mmCIF file of all heavy atoms in Angstrom:
data_model
loop_
_atom_site.group_PDB
_atom_site.id
_atom_site.type_symbol
_atom_site.label_atom_id
_atom_site.label_comp_id
_atom_site.label_asym_id
_atom_site.label_seq_id
_atom_site.Cartn_x
_atom_site.Cartn_y
_atom_site.Cartn_z
ATOM 1 N N ALA A 276 209.801 223.014 55.386
ATOM 2 C CA ALA A 276 210.805 222.163 54.733
ATOM 3 C C ALA A 276 212.182 222.816 54.803
ATOM 4 O O ALA A 276 213.196 222.141 55.033
ATOM 5 C CB ALA A 276 210.412 221.895 53.281
ATOM 6 N N ALA A 277 212.233 224.135 54.622
ATOM 7 C CA ALA A 277 213.505 224.855 54.707
ATOM 8 C C ALA A 277 214.056 224.800 56.127
ATOM 9 O O ALA A 277 215.258 224.560 56.336
ATOM 10 C CB ALA A 277 213.322 226.301 54.265
ATOM 11 N N LEU A 278 213.190 224.999 57.112
ATOM 12 C CA LEU A 278 213.630 224.948 58.506
ATOM 13 C C LEU A 278 214.097 223.553 58.882
ATOM 14 O O LEU A 278 215.071 223.389 59.629
ATOM 15 C CB LEU A 278 212.491 225.398 59.427
ATOM 16 C CG LEU A 278 212.108 226.876 59.330
ATOM 17 C CD1 LEU A 278 210.814 227.152 60.077
ATOM 18 C CD2 LEU A 278 213.233 227.769 59.846
ATOM 19 N N ASN A 279 213.433 222.543 58.359
ATOM 20 C CA ASN A 279 213.855 221.169 58.612
ATOM 21 C C ASN A 279 215.214 220.886 57.986
ATOM 22 O O ASN A 279 216.073 220.219 58.586
ATOM 23 C CB ASN A 279 212.808 220.196 58.060
ATOM 24 C CG ASN A 279 213.088 218.765 58.452
ATOM 25 O OD1 ASN A 279 213.250 218.441 59.629
ATOM 26 N ND2 ASN A 279 213.166 217.889 57.461
ATOM 27 N N ALA A 280 215.439 221.425 56.797
ATOM 28 C CA ALA A 280 216.708 221.195 56.086
ATOM 29 C C ALA A 280 217.892 221.791 56.834
ATOM 30 O O ALA A 280 219.009 221.263 56.762
ATOM 31 C CB ALA A 280 216.632 221.781 54.677
ATOM 32 N N VAL A 281 217.656 222.873 57.571
ATOM 33 C CA VAL A 281 218.744 223.498 58.335
ATOM 34 C C VAL A 281 218.689 223.118 59.821
ATOM 35 O O VAL A 281 219.319 223.738 60.664
ATOM 36 C CB VAL A 281 218.740 225.036 58.167
ATOM 37 C CG1 VAL A 281 218.938 225.407 56.708
ATOM 38 C CG2 VAL A 281 217.460 225.656 58.727
ATOM 39 N N GLU A 282 217.886 222.087 60.103
ATOM 40 C CA GLU A 282 217.813 221.503 61.443
ATOM 41 C C GLU A 282 217.337 222.507 62.497
ATOM 42 O O GLU A 282 217.833 222.571 63.611
ATOM 43 C CB GLU A 282 219.161 220.881 61.828
ATOM 44 C CG GLU A 282 219.611 219.833 60.813
ATOM 45 C CD GLU A 282 220.938 219.170 61.145
ATOM 46 O OE1 GLU A 282 221.453 219.362 62.264
ATOM 47 O OE2 GLU A 282 221.465 218.446 60.281
ATOM 48 N N LEU A 283 216.315 223.275 62.103
ATOM 49 C CA LEU A 283 215.724 224.259 63.016
ATOM 50 C C LEU A 283 214.250 223.993 63.300
ATOM 51 O O LEU A 283 213.618 224.769 64.026
ATOM 52 C CB LEU A 283 215.843 225.671 62.437
ATOM 53 C CG LEU A 283 217.024 226.547 62.849
ATOM 54 C CD1 LEU A 283 216.893 227.915 62.216
ATOM 55 C CD2 LEU A 283 217.140 226.680 64.366
ATOM 56 N N LYS A 284 213.692 222.939 62.729
ATOM 57 C CA LYS A 284 212.250 222.724 62.824
ATOM 58 C C LYS A 284 211.787 222.618 64.271
ATOM 59 O O LYS A 284 210.820 223.272 64.673
ATOM 60 C CB LYS A 284 211.872 221.466 62.052
ATOM 61 C CG LYS A 284 210.366 221.220 61.979
ATOM 62 C CD LYS A 284 210.041 220.026 61.101
ATOM 63 C CE LYS A 284 208.533 219.816 61.010
ATOM 64 N NZ LYS A 284 208.204 218.660 60.131
ATOM 65 N N GLU A 285 212.471 221.804 65.081
ATOM 66 C CA GLU A 285 212.045 221.623 66.471
ATOM 67 C C GLU A 285 212.205 222.921 67.268
ATOM 68 O O GLU A 285 211.333 223.273 68.081
ATOM 69 C CB GLU A 285 212.844 220.494 67.115
ATOM 70 C CG GLU A 285 212.517 219.117 66.549
ATOM 71 C CD GLU A 285 213.257 218.016 67.276
ATOM 72 O OE1 GLU A 285 213.944 218.297 68.282
ATOM 73 O OE2 GLU A 285 213.167 216.862 66.824
ATOM 74 N N ARG A 286 213.290 223.615 67.039
ATOM 75 C CA ARG A 286 213.539 224.867 67.773
ATOM 76 C C ARG A 286 212.471 225.903 67.473
ATOM 77 O O ARG A 286 211.969 226.595 68.369
ATOM 78 C CB ARG A 286 214.920 225.405 67.405
ATOM 79 C CG ARG A 286 215.268 226.737 68.050
ATOM 80 C CD ARG A 286 215.509 226.584 69.550
ATOM 81 N NE ARG A 286 216.001 227.822 70.157
ATOM 82 C CZ ARG A 286 215.217 228.751 70.694
ATOM 83 N NH1 ARG A 286 213.895 228.583 70.700
ATOM 84 N NH2 ARG A 286 215.738 229.844 71.228
ATOM 85 N N ILE A 287 212.113 226.032 66.196
ATOM 86 C CA ILE A 287 211.111 227.024 65.808
ATOM 87 C C ILE A 287 209.733 226.597 66.301
ATOM 88 O O ILE A 287 208.923 227.438 66.724
ATOM 89 C CB ILE A 287 211.122 227.240 64.288
ATOM 90 C CG1 ILE A 287 212.459 227.858 63.850
ATOM 91 C CG2 ILE A 287 209.952 228.112 63.853
ATOM 92 C CD1 ILE A 287 212.822 229.153 64.543
ATOM 93 N N SER A 288 209.447 225.306 66.282
ATOM 94 C CA SER A 288 208.173 224.824 66.826
ATOM 95 C C SER A 288 208.043 225.224 68.290
ATOM 96 O O SER A 288 206.972 225.626 68.752
ATOM 97 C CB SER A 288 208.077 223.302 66.680
ATOM 98 O OG SER A 288 208.035 222.921 65.325
ATOM 99 N N ALA A 289 209.156 225.148 69.015
ATOM 100 C CA ALA A 289 209.147 225.464 70.447
ATOM 101 C C ALA A 289 208.982 226.956 70.716
ATOM 102 O O ALA A 289 208.581 227.352 71.810
ATOM 103 C CB ALA A 289 210.435 224.962 71.098
#
Side-chain angles (χ1 to χ4, degrees):
L278 292 169
N279 188 54
V281 299
E282 303 180 10
L283 265 183
K284 185 175 181 179
E285 291 184 5
R286 177 71 173 92
I287 295 304
S288 295

